[in-house]
Amino acid sequence: MKRQFIVGVIGGILGIATAAYVIFTSASSDMTLSGVQAALFSSLGLMGAAIANSETRFAGWMLLSSAVWILLSVPLAGTLYLITWYLPAVILLGIAAVLCFMEPEADETLPEEKAC
């Protein structure tokens, strides 16, 4: 297992757990909607982490977009204190995305057979 996979899975699970906490303790429908959106984007991060071993660049874009969209769903609730709850998940998903982009690109060409 690669580092991007492990960090991405931890970030995705932490994002879903935080979103579930926000959903079940919300005081308004806007906070519930923010929690549902964060849960959906955290699941996108989990999907990105799942393909990080085979499609590294695409997984990096999925993880990065997941982190950005979680950050954008927080102001929807009308309060910015939720950012402190989502920040660990966003940071972990962002680190996993950077690790995916730092991975060297695999050469797609097949090695030529040596003539005997």
Side-chain angles (χ1 to χ4, degrees), residues 13-98:
I13 290 173
L14 188 62
I16 289 175
T18 305
Y21 175 76
V22 169
I23 290 169
F24 291 122
T25 62
S26 65
S28 68
S29 62
D30 290 339
M31 286 180 70
T32 305
L33 179 62
S34 175
V36 168
Q37 286 179 342
L40 290 174
F41 293 125
S42 294
S43 66
L44 175 69
L46 280 174
M47 288 183 266
I51 66 168
N53 294 333
S54 59
E55 297 286 333
T56 309
R57 300 280 182 215
F58 184 64
W61 285 112
M62 287 177 72
L63 289 162
L64 185 64
S65 64
S66 173
V68 168
W69 283 108
I70 290 172
L71 274 178
L72 291 176
S73 72
V74 170
L76 181 68
T79 178
L80 290 179
Y81 85 90
L82 284 178
I83 197 116
T84 59
W85 288 96
Y86 289 123
L87 202 57
V90 168
I91 289 173
L92 287 174
L93 289 170
I95 289 172
V98 169

